Amino acid sequence: MSNNNSLIGSKIKGIRETKNLSIEEIAERSGLSAEQINSIENDVNLPSLGPLIKIARALGVRLGTFMDDSDALGPIVTRAKDREAESSISFSNGATDARKHMEYHPLAQQKAGRHMEPFIIDINPEESPEFQLSAHEGEEFIYVMQGEIEIVYGKETYSLHEGDSIYYDSIVKHHVHGAPGKSAKILAVVYIPF
């Protein structure tokens, strides 16, 4: 299975250099540390979608710009048999030791100018998830296909099982992870206004 992490880091670096912006300038605009941006650009660690969204805003591009394969304008069909074989993006999900807890399978990489980012996400089991909450502009919809997940949203924690769904504003600090010791597969659609 191919992995998109290296592509994302080099695309971010390429866009930043094209716009003659320093890592420090992007750090200031995004509210992230220069070290965090440097590690993302050098493919050391993709913490979660939140920081990528903040970097996209700091660069003045859509999040999809980091993930696009091509620029199709018509409908995009992703077949189930192709999805697993296609590229995936692994996030450490904010874990302190950068284990890869979530594998994202993008479903619309060929769709140009999109405002939604749909993913199938495989969540690996952890006994005691360590995570950092993140907030960014937009909205998210999650549907649990298999397993059980927990979503920390503000001061609340929601448990979702197979067939359950949740829709929330991403501006509230949040984190999605598997229930302790449980794996899961979810459909997640992230909407980011541009």
Side-chain angles (χ1 to χ4, degrees), residues 5 20 73 114 127 143 165 184 187:
N5 287 24
N20 292 319
L73 295 172
R114 64 189 180 276
E127 283 309 324
Y143 174 82
S165 65
L187 167 67

Side-chain angles (χ1 to χ4, degrees), residues 55-107:
I55 292 172
R57 289 204 164 277
L59 289 169
V61 298
R62 292 177 306 103
L63 172 66
T65 309
F66 303 152
M67 303 178 189
D68 290 351
D69 280 350
S70 58
D71 293 324
L73 295 172
I76 300 300
V77 176
T78 303
R79 303 285 179 199
K81 63 178 174 52
D82 298 329
R83 189 182 71 235
E84 296 302 323
E86 289 295 316
S87 55
S88 66
I89 305 163
S90 293
F91 288 106
S92 61
N93 206 20
T96 48
D97 60 0
R99 287 168 296 178
K100 301 294 184 260
H101 294 314
M102 300 180 92
E103 194 162 275
Y104 285 61
H105 304 277
L107 299 177

Side-chain angles (χ1 to χ4, degrees), residues 22-151:
S22 69
I23 285 179
E24 288 70 29
E25 285 173 298
I26 297 302
E28 195 175 315
R29 289 184 188 186
S30 65
L32 303 172
S33 69
E35 293 76 21
Q36 198 172 5
I37 292 165
N38 201 36
S39 75
I40 289 169
E41 283 193 1
N42 292 305
D43 314 312
V44 176
N45 186 17
L46 281 183
S48 66
L49 272 186
L52 292 185
I53 292 167
K54 289 176 178 172
I55 292 172
R57 289 204 164 277
L59 289 169
V61 298
R62 292 177 306 103
L63 172 66
T65 309
F66 303 152
M67 303 178 189
D68 290 351
D69 280 350
S70 58
D71 293 324
L73 295 172
I76 300 300
V77 176
T78 303
R79 303 285 179 199
K81 63 178 174 52
D82 298 329
R83 189 182 71 235
E84 296 302 323
E86 289 295 316
S87 55
S88 66
I89 305 163
S90 293
F91 288 106
S92 61
N93 206 20
T96 48
D97 60 0
R99 287 168 296 178
K100 301 294 184 260
H101 294 314
M102 300 180 92
E103 194 162 275
Y104 285 61
H105 304 277
L107 299 177
Q109 283 181 291
Q110 296 83 17
K111 177 69 178 164
R114 64 189 180 276
H115 292 279
M116 294 188 295
E117 290 291 343
F119 302 94
I120 298 288
I121 305 175
D122 291 314
I123 301 175
N124 297 321
E126 305 167 71
E127 283 309 324
S128 51
E130 288 183 37
F131 50 82
Q132 295 148 357
L133 301 180
S134 73
H136 51 84
E137 289 189 62
E139 301 168 359
E140 294 179 36
F141 169 78
I142 291 172
Y143 174 82
V144 182
M145 299 166 68
Q146 292 170 13
E148 186 183 338
I149 65 168
E150 286 181 350
I151 296 176

